[in-house]
Amino acid sequence: MKKVVGFGDFLVRLSPPGYLKFVQAETFEINYTGAEANVLVSLACMGIDTEFVTRLPENAIADSGIAMMRKFNVGTRHIVRGGERMGVFYLEKGASQRPSRIVYDRKFSGIAMAEPGMFDWDAVFEGASNFHITGITPALGAGMPAVSIEAVRKAKEHGLTVSCDLNYRKNMWTAEQAKACMEEMLQYVDILIANEEDADKVLGIKAADTDVTTGKLNKEGYIDVADQLCKKYGVKEVGITLRKSISASDNEWGALLYAGGRPYFSRTYPIHIVDRVGGGDSFAAGLIYGTVNGFEPQKKIEYAAAASCLKHSIEKDFNLSSVAEVELLMNGDASGRVQR
C-alpha cells in the first residue's frame, strides 16, 4: 500500500465565530492546522495511508492537536517532541468585498527552532512512496531551510515521489530568501504546485496578461509559466490553481496540470465560499491522490480541482470529502441536492 509523508508546521487557528471582525469577538473558535497537515487529513479521508512529521512541545495543547490528527487516521509516530510552544494564527473571515485577515504568532515555536539532524529521515521514509512539503516549512525559522533541504534530499535518496507547494508567505520571509531556498529544494522535486503570485514573487516567472487583483486570467500565460518551470528546474509536473476572485465570498475556480510537455485544464467551478483556508492544500491532496492511484493527467487535474472546490464549502481547514463525493462532482453533479 502506498504511504504519503508530510513534513511541516502544526499550529493553532483561532477565529471569531462566523464572520465577526476581531474587534467584535468575545470568544474564539479553536482548530488545529498546517499546510502539510491539511493535505494529509484530506488524503486520509480518501483512504490513503499517511504520516505527519513535525516538532511539538510536550504540553496539553500539542497533545490535543495530535489527538485530532489521529481522529482522522493520520499517522503521528514520527512527531518529535521539543520546544516551548505551538504557533498560533488568528483568522478573521472576509465576506463580500471585505477580505479575510490573518495575524500570525508563530515565531519560536517547536518546529521553528528545529535544526538538521533532529529528524530520523531514514526511519520516516521507510515504506513510504510520496513526500509532501510546502514553502511555508523552510520559512519557519533560521534552521528550517537546511532541515527542509535535508528532508527532500533524503526523500529522493529513498526513491520517493516529492511534491512541493511554493506557498509563499511574505510575512514570514523575503522573496529573496524564498528564492534562494526554494531553488535549491526544487532539484529534488517531481511535482511543483504553485499559483500565479508564488511563481512570480518567488521564482520570477510571471503569467503574461494576468492580473490577480482584477481577476483577469490568461490560460496561455499559465501554460508558458508551467513550461518554464519544467524546463528551468527539471520538475516533471506543474499544478497551478486558477482562481478568479469576484469577491471574498464568490470565486471561479479551476486548475491546470502541465505534464509531459502538455497542458490539461480542469472544468471551471463557480463557488460560494464558506471557508477558503486550506483550498490550495486540498488541491495538492487531489494531485497526490491522482499520482498515487496512477490517474492519467486529465483525470488527475479534474479530481484535484473538484476536491478543492468542495473544500471551499467546508468550515475550518481540513477537506473532509470522500472519494465518492469528489467523483460525484468531478463527473458532473454540481446540483448540491440533498443526498438521501
Side-chain angles (χ1 to χ4, degrees), residues 220-273:
E220 292 301 320
Y222 287 109
I223 295 172
D224 181 56
V225 165
D227 184 62
Q228 289 186 62
L229 290 169
C230 287
K231 289 177 178 176
K232 184 173 182 179
Y233 298 107
V235 297
K236 296 175 182 177
E237 296 182 0
V238 174
I240 300 178
T241 55
L242 306 174
R243 183 190 296 273
K244 183 176 181 180
S245 185
I246 300 166
S247 70
S249 301
D250 295 281
N251 289 179
E252 290 183 2
W253 180 262
L256 160 68
L257 177 64
Y258 193 80
R262 290 186 54 192
Y264 300 86
F265 286 94
S266 75
R267 61 179 289 190
T268 299
Y269 297 94
I271 54 175
H272 183 74
I273 298 171

Side-chain angles (χ1 to χ4, degrees), residues 141-248:
M144 286 305 293
V147 175
S148 301
I149 292 166
E150 175 187 64
V152 293
R153 178 176 55 80
K154 292 294 289 188
K156 290 310 295 181
E157 287 178 7
H158 282 263
L160 274 66
T161 297
V162 176
S163 54
C164 177
D165 190 334
L166 281 181
N167 256 349
Y168 175 59
R169 297 292 184 267
K170 66 181 180 181
N171 292 332
M172 297 178 66
W173 58 351
T174 66
E176 292 74 23
Q177 290 173 317
K179 183 176 183 179
C181 178
M182 298 310 296
E183 287 195 323
E184 187 167 355
M185 286 177 61
L186 284 176
Q187 65 182 301
Y188 304 106
V189 171
D190 300 291
I191 303 170
L192 177 62
I193 300 160
N195 63 29
E196 65 278 11
E197 291 180 282
D198 294 344
D200 179 18
K201 293 178 180 177
V202 178
L203 302 175
I205 297 175
K206 183 175 177 60
D209 198 27
T210 295
D211 188 330
V212 297
T213 303
T214 62
K216 183 179 181 182
L217 299 178
N218 173 24
K219 288 187 174 182
E220 292 301 320
Y222 287 109
I223 295 172
D224 181 56
V225 165
D227 184 62
Q228 289 186 62
L229 290 169
C230 287
K231 289 177 178 176
K232 184 173 182 179
Y233 298 107
V235 297
K236 296 175 182 177
E237 296 182 0
V238 174
I240 300 178
T241 55
L242 306 174
R243 183 190 296 273
K244 183 176 181 180
S245 185
I246 300 166
S247 70

Side-chain angles (χ1 to χ4, degrees), residues 22 28 62-63 78 227 244 247 254 287-288 316 321 323 329:
F22 288 137
F28 285 92
D63 290 346
H78 290 291
D227 184 62
K244 183 176 181 180
S247 70
L287 285 182
I288 295 168
K316 301 185 179 179
S321 303
V323 172
L329 177 60

